[in-house]
Amino acid sequence: MRPAVQVVGRRLEAEDHRLRDFLTRVAQPHEWLEAGSPEAISLLGGFGLLEAPLPVVVDGDRTYAGATVEVLAEAWNHLDPPKRAHYDLVVIGAGPAGLAAAVYAASDGLSTIVFERDVPGGQASHTSLIENFFGFPDGIGGAELARLAGRQAERFGAEVMVLRGVRGSRLDTDGDRVELLLDGGLEVTASVVLAATGMDWRRLEVDGVDQLLGHGVHYGAGRSEAAQCSGDRVVVVGAGNSAGQAVLNFANAGARVTMLVRGDRLGKTMSAYLVERIQRHPLIDVRLETQLTELHADGNRLAGVTVTDAAGNARTDAADAVFICIGGLPHTDWCPAERVLTDAAGYILTGPDLLAGGSRPDGWPLDRDPLPLETSRAGLFAAGDVRHGSTKRVAGAVGEGAMAAALFFRRLAELGVTV
């Protein structure tokens, strides 16, 4: 049986890739049909859309020509406005930490809303399989985990708003309330706020990367692309667990994969079970102490790569796709304007880490130390990858989200808010 959602587009168009990535990361089953193929022509002809702008999405008897992520999100009621003007808790970020906090807070009776500027799951949603998450012996896809967590939060009454972030860096406090200005010009207030803003992909400083994004070069683990890469020559840059899962995912789909690792061995940054599988796979070529140094284009699409080893030896090979998985940077560009303290790398300081020499941070308004996971702004908490000292593991993020939910009640009691 074919999926209800079918998409006709061009694989190497950046916006078409964004749409396909969106459908994959929200765990929406769909069939991709390359424009010009007999199947695509037949589908479009049946709806009288042979001349329609691409991509075209067919959802049952509804069609969307020139479809975008935002068009589909609105059609599927993902862009409804908040139901309340004020919430006990606003969570910024729908990664594992934010969704866990929403589940536990909402289940204990707090009015809760989650705002996510992208789609639920954070960087975990790019991961094809999380195999070391407690309770899932066969593993679980990052997008699937996020979908289930979001549904669980909503079952307890939380609202989860996708493609809707906090605009700019306004978090103006007014007494016991925090005012938040949202994308689209909407505003809500909250008694407490959790920043679970996660990480942004670290950019690779190689000429041509930005020009070829979506045209053969991608950031992330490429979960939406694996099925299209059978027989292709794929390069994966990175050596963490996400990169390891990506390499295996592509190779298992039939791609010939080159893995570029800056270090001298995989085990430094990757779990042993992934290292063992990669070393055994006949379609994976691991090149240690090697970096991507140049991209080559044929028109507006990727044609090849040049890589250079530690001895300075350069080698140029043909390539159909490059996936960059070199870790991330904390999404904390909003922190300076909000007087939220971070460490030298930009991660948010919380709890005891704020007590320099035993003294509370400047401007701290309360006659107590910051609570665990509380930032230098009273009532604003942080959890997950964005926080200084976090473990950068899904289980750790979920644990911090659950812990934060318990701490919210202590702050609410100080404010005299009863639940």
Side-chain angles (χ1 to χ4, degrees):
M1 180 179 295
R2 284 188 159 182
V5 175
Q6 295 168 287
V7 185
V8 177
R10 296 186 177 91
R11 178 183 165 199
L12 292 176
E13 289 295 324
E15 284 303 312
D16 295 28
H17 164 74
R18 179 172 178 252
L19 181 64
R20 187 167 63 250
D21 185 61
F22 167 75
L23 293 172
T24 301
R25 291 171 58 212
V26 297
Q28 170 61 55
H30 64 281
E31 180 181 23
W32 174 265
L33 302 175
E34 189 69 21
S37 68
E39 297 84 358
I41 293 171
S42 175
L43 179 67
L44 294 180
F47 286 93
L49 295 173
L50 285 173
E51 302 300 322
L54 299 176
V56 172
V57 175
V58 177
D59 181 9
D61 57 358
R62 295 180 295 175
T63 61
Y64 306 92
T68 65
V69 169
E70 290 74 17
V71 165
L72 289 188
E74 184 171 6
W76 294 343
N77 298 321
H78 290 321
L79 297 181
D80 290 344
K83 296 176 181 177
R84 298 167 175 254
H86 178 79
Y87 292 84
D88 296 321
L89 168 66
V90 166
V91 179
I92 306 173
L99 290 173
V103 167
Y104 285 101
S107 66
D108 283 339
L110 298 186
S111 58
T112 302
I113 189 167
V114 183
F115 293 108
E116 170 55 57
R117 61 192 173 123
D118 189 19
V119 300
Q123 287 199 322
S125 67
H126 292 274
T127 303
S128 59
L129 192 65
I130 303 170
E131 295 187 75
N132 57 358
F133 186 48
F134 178 83
F136 291 89
D138 297 322
I140 184 170
E144 178 68 5
L145 179 64
R147 183 180 67 83
L148 293 173
R151 181 190 299 172
Q152 189 175 22
E154 291 174 330
R155 184 186 304 165
F156 286 120
E159 298 171 52
V160 180
M161 314 290 287
V162 302
L163 302 176
R164 181 78 55 77
V166 175
R167 190 173 74 190
S169 57
R170 282 190 54 189
L171 283 173
D172 298 329
T173 55
D174 179 16
D176 59 356
R177 289 171 176 248
V178 179
E179 299 177 359
L180 298 107
L181 179 63
L182 313 172
D183 291 339
L186 300 172
E187 294 186 25
V188 297
T189 62
S191 298
V192 292
V193 176
L194 174 68
T197 48
M199 310 274 280
D200 291 320
W201 291 111
R202 189 182 299 275
R203 314 312 281 183
L204 183 64
E205 299 299 327
V206 172
D207 289 343
V209 167
D210 291 341
Q211 291 80 0
L212 288 170
L213 278 179
H215 299 282
V217 176
H218 309 280
Y219 283 98
R223 185 169 177 238
S224 62
E225 300 298 313
Q228 313 293 327
C229 287
S230 178
D232 283 357
R233 297 155 297 190
V234 173
V235 176
V236 175
V237 182
N241 279 3
S242 292
Q245 287 288 1
V247 165
L248 289 167
N249 199 29
F250 287 122
N252 289 337
R256 291 165 289 167
V257 187
T258 299
M259 186 177 196
L260 304 182
V261 179
R262 186 166 57 179
D264 60 359
R265 61 187 178 88
L266 276 180
K268 282 185 176 180
T269 52
M270 187 182 298
S271 295
Y273 73 94
L274 290 174
V275 175
E276 293 171 3
R277 293 179 195 173
I278 288 170
Q279 291 174 338
R280 293 198 305 265
H281 206 295
L283 294 179
I284 299 173
D285 175 22
V286 178
R287 299 184 187 173
L288 301 175
E289 298 183 289
T290 303
Q291 300 185 58
L292 177 64
T293 51
E294 191 174 355
L295 296 169
H296 306 281
D298 180 6
N300 69 340
R301 63 169 296 176
L302 177 74
V305 298
T306 296
V307 301
T308 305
D309 64 21
N313 300 310
R315 169 176 170 174
T316 299
D317 295 309
D320 299 297
V322 171
F323 295 88
I324 303 166
C325 308
I326 55 174
L329 298 171
H331 180 54
T332 54
D333 53 354
W334 52 273
C335 285
E338 302 309 327
R339 305 187 304 280
V340 173
L341 299 179
T342 63
D343 65 14
Y347 294 93
I348 297 176
L349 297 170
T350 58
D353 291 323
L354 289 166
L355 304 179
S359 300
R360 295 166 185 160
D362 292 341
W364 181 252
L366 304 177
D367 190 23
R368 64 159 173 81
D369 291 345
L371 298 172
L373 305 186
E374 194 170 23
T375 72
S376 53
R377 292 286 299 276
L380 173 62
F381 297 81
D385 287 353
V386 75
R387 192 184 69 81
H388 169 82
S390 65
T391 61
K392 309 301 182 287
R393 297 275 188 173
V394 173
V398 170
E400 289 189 12
M403 178 181 174
L407 296 172
F408 300 151
F409 284 91
R410 293 179 60 179
R411 175 57 180 162
L412 290 172
E414 290 178 340
L415 298 173
V417 176
T418 57
V419 179

